[in-house]
Amino acid sequence: MKHVHLRRFGGVAAATVAAGLLATPTVAVADAGPAVLGTSQGVDAQHLGACGPAGDPAWIGRSVNGPALNVKVAGTGARFGVWDVTTGAEDPVFTGEAQANGAPQAGLTVPGLLDGHSYAWHAWALQGAQVSAPSADCHFTVDTTSPTATVSSTDFPASGTAPKFAGQVGTFVVRTTDPVPAGGESSGIACIRYGWGNLGVGGCDSPDAVVPEDDGTATVSLRVLNWGTNTLNVQVIDDAGNVGGAGYTFYAPSNPNPPKAPGDVDGDGVPDVLLPDAAGNLQIISSGSGDTTPSAVIRAVQSPNQTSWSNVQVAHRGWDANMHAPMDDLLMHPSGSPALYFYSNQDYASFTGYPSAISRPSACQNAAGTAAACPAGFATDWHKADQIALIGSLDSRMVSSLMTVEDGNLWLFANPGFSYRLRTARQLTTDGAWAGYDLVAPGPDAAGNLALWARDRATGELHAYPIAKKADGTFDFSALADPKAGVVASGFTVDKYPTLGSSGDVDGDGKPDLWAVTADRHLVYYSGWSDPSGAGALK
């Protein structure tokens, strides 16, 4: 057999084959090569092993053994040649052979390639001593240098006194660079990922990713949830898949005069709407923002069943002042569950732990608030609670009282202690007429009077029941005796509006307001229960 020489003519590869060769293997065809193994984090698929044309080579990032070249081949193996396009040298910088091992594919890795240089490669199929014509050229450029980033903020500087407080939104400027190697090219910044805590694995299609401006700068606005020392983590990904990062540590002081607004969960002084997204996470949406972008999200894994918030009733209206700043705590009841859960809002909607269960009172009262024997069938747990609503505080504290619908009757669970340890169960109705009603808790009005709203699921009528504060400081619940009374609006059918709620006084007129979610998942706000205005589609 004569020796086979590799040479290039005008950038086209050729092979000299033994004289008299009649049958050659199938021409080797480039198979998604070159491919980089083990550096797939965050890189678009076209950058991982694409066979780029001469004018638009694929970017290949840093790998342990160098880029991996793969070809489909009908034969026993393949021979590879790699040329440095940047230097224009005629001789290959790498040659090698790989066995097919019974598969229609052969591949190898190429060490020692230079950062920033562009390369071309092709392959020949082997069948014993026979060699095919060459495959078409593949082109790639190597970028093995990680990008860098720095972060700054005038709202929350790394040193000195911050002009803003924990719970407020701060602006953070991320400046990135993708170092250019001497005599070569860099791939450029693909995106920036950012967030509090461990960012984990993710790419440029992640919800926490942003594409920087042409100068490599991105400005992001984030609510600082924790009082004290915070760290904003930044991850920079270049077009070759290399990853760099930075951590920005700063101190967020607590607000000495925090806003107090029942219905507010994230501490900005504006009541919030809490709704699950399509992935089962719980969104905290500021009712004053004008759109449906959440200010914070409680992950699905932090729900009572650690799976999803979708089938969990969530109520909020008040806080336990013994535990934290004035922001609503959450009460949660998974549908049909024997457990009712409490989630303490320790720090500006920074719900990082897991909810705790609330015990159920064993002593009962009648509608007048006098001690009475519990009715037959009174449950020792919460599985009969078809509806829950936190109506607001019944005393000078901000710990809210709970209303439920059980066996068609309305119950008031009051006298809450530390961590919403409810002590009394007061049966407000006994005729079972409340079956089929959705409870809505609008919270107190400007005069301190409470109310309960309810939607008749059969008719779509909205009812409002006043709970007036009497001269002695107690409240009059007599309007709740007949759920059919107090019709204030119609047309709120279940088909049109599967979900209704209230965040309290959103428009600042001293009266609570209704919100609704349409069948196609759009959020609609009302002034009271009229004059609807759309906020947009929910995630």
Side-chain angles (χ1 to χ4, degrees):
M1 183 188 75
K2 294 183 179 180
H3 182 69
V4 177
H5 301 278
L6 304 182
R7 62 179 185 268
R8 293 177 61 84
F9 299 99
V12 179
T16 302
V17 191
L21 182 63
L22 299 178
T24 61
T26 302
V27 174
V29 179
D31 176 26
V36 178
L37 305 179
T39 58
S40 60
Q41 176 171 319
V43 183
D44 187 55
Q46 69 178 7
H47 301 129
L48 289 178
C51 183
D56 186 21
W59 282 102
I60 300 300
R62 182 173 56 252
S63 58
V64 175
N65 298 314
L69 313 183
N70 294 279
V71 290
K72 289 180 180 178
V73 59
T76 57
R79 179 175 295 151
F80 296 82
V82 182
W83 285 263
D84 191 325
V85 175
T86 299
T87 64
E90 184 71 17
D91 293 331
V93 296
F94 174 86
T95 60
E97 293 185 4
Q99 297 298 311
N101 295 323
Q105 180 175 312
L108 47 68
T109 57
V110 183
L113 300 183
L114 299 178
D115 186 19
H117 281 223
S118 294
Y119 294 89
W121 70 274
H122 47 247
W124 298 260
L126 304 177
Q127 181 67 56
Q130 299 175 335
V131 182
S132 77
S135 70
D137 279 6
C138 279
H139 297 264
F140 65 89
T141 303
V142 175
D143 182 353
T144 61
T145 303
S146 295
T148 64
T150 60
V151 184
S152 62
S153 175
T154 57
D155 292 332
F156 293 99
S159 60
T161 302
K164 288 193 172 183
F165 301 109
Q168 295 181 327
V169 174
T171 298
F172 299 85
V173 179
V174 183
R175 295 178 174 85
T176 66
T177 57
D178 193 25
V180 180
E185 302 176 76
S186 61
S187 58
I189 304 298
C191 68
I192 301 167
R193 295 181 62 215
Y194 58 89
W196 314 109
N198 184 8
L199 293 178
V201 176
C204 291
D205 58 350
S206 301
D208 58 1
V210 62
V211 177
E213 301 293 335
D214 292 341
D215 63 357
T217 300
T219 301
V220 296
S221 296
L222 296 172
R223 186 180 303 279
V224 178
L225 299 179
N226 297 315
W227 166 78
T229 301
N230 293 261
T231 299
L232 174 63
N233 291 316
V234 171
Q235 190 180 78
V236 191
I237 304 171
D238 67 18
D239 279 322
N242 302 303
V243 179
Y248 180 72
T249 300
F250 61 92
Y251 185 86
S254 61
N255 192 338
N257 298 297
K260 298 179 180 181
D264 175 26
V265 176
D266 58 13
D268 63 354
V270 178
D272 299 302
V273 177
L274 272 60
L275 291 167
D277 62 19
N281 305 301
L282 188 63
Q283 305 174 95
I284 300 173
I285 302 170
S286 176
S287 58
S289 65
D291 61 27
T292 59
T293 303
S295 63
V297 174
I298 309 175
R299 297 177 302 157
V301 72
Q302 293 170 261
S303 65
N305 58 23
Q306 300 182 18
T307 302
S308 174
W309 290 93
S310 296
N311 293 316
V312 180
Q313 291 188 64
V314 180
H316 64 100
R317 185 73 75 245
W319 53 83
D320 185 341
N322 294 317
M323 300 184 69
H324 50 78
M327 292 163 287
D328 279 7
D329 298 312
L330 307 185
L331 258 64
M332 302 146 290
H333 184 242
S335 180
S337 172
L340 177 69
Y341 295 93
F342 165 71
Y343 218 149
S344 175
N345 190 354
Q346 294 286 350
D347 216 347
Y348 304 97
S350 179
F351 297 97
T352 56
Y354 292 94
S356 57
I358 296 179
S359 60
R360 183 176 170 95
S362 57
C364 296
Q365 296 178 348
N366 58 24
T370 303
C374 293
F378 179 72
T380 58
D381 58 33
W382 301 94
H383 78 278
K384 288 187 176 183
D386 295 329
Q387 291 284 310
I388 67 169
L390 287 172
I391 62 169
S393 176
L394 299 183
D395 54 30
S396 59
R397 299 171 298 167
M398 288 307 301
V399 184
S400 185
S401 294
L402 173 70
M403 280 193 178
T404 67
V405 175
E406 304 180 19
D407 292 330
N409 288 310
L410 200 61
W411 285 82
L412 172 67
F413 294 89
N415 193 17
F418 183 73
S419 297
Y420 277 83
R421 190 175 299 278
L422 302 164
R423 298 188 181 94
T424 60
R426 182 174 175 180
Q427 187 175 17
L428 298 178
T429 67
T430 58
D431 57 5
W434 278 88
Y437 285 82
D438 292 326
L439 302 187
V440 177
D445 63 13
N449 299 303
L450 302 178
L452 181 69
W453 297 348
R455 187 254 302 269
D456 187 335
R457 290 197 292 268
T459 66
E461 292 177 329
L462 183 68
H463 302 252
Y465 316 95
I467 305 175
K469 191 173 186 178
K470 297 185 292 186
D472 62 359
T474 62
F475 287 86
D476 180 5
F477 294 95
S478 61
L480 303 176
D482 181 11
K484 294 185 179 300
V487 176
V488 294
S490 61
F492 290 99
T493 62
V494 176
D495 289 343
K496 188 176 181 180
Y497 300 108
T499 305
L500 297 179
S502 175
S503 297
D505 182 15
V506 173
D507 56 15
D509 64 355
K511 301 177 182 179
D513 305 303
L514 183 75
W515 56 257
V517 178
T518 64
D520 59 353
R521 287 185 56 76
H522 279 69
L523 180 61
V524 180
Y525 291 113
Y526 292 81
S527 178
W529 42 74
S530 61
D531 299 325
S533 60
L538 295 165
K539 292 183 178 179

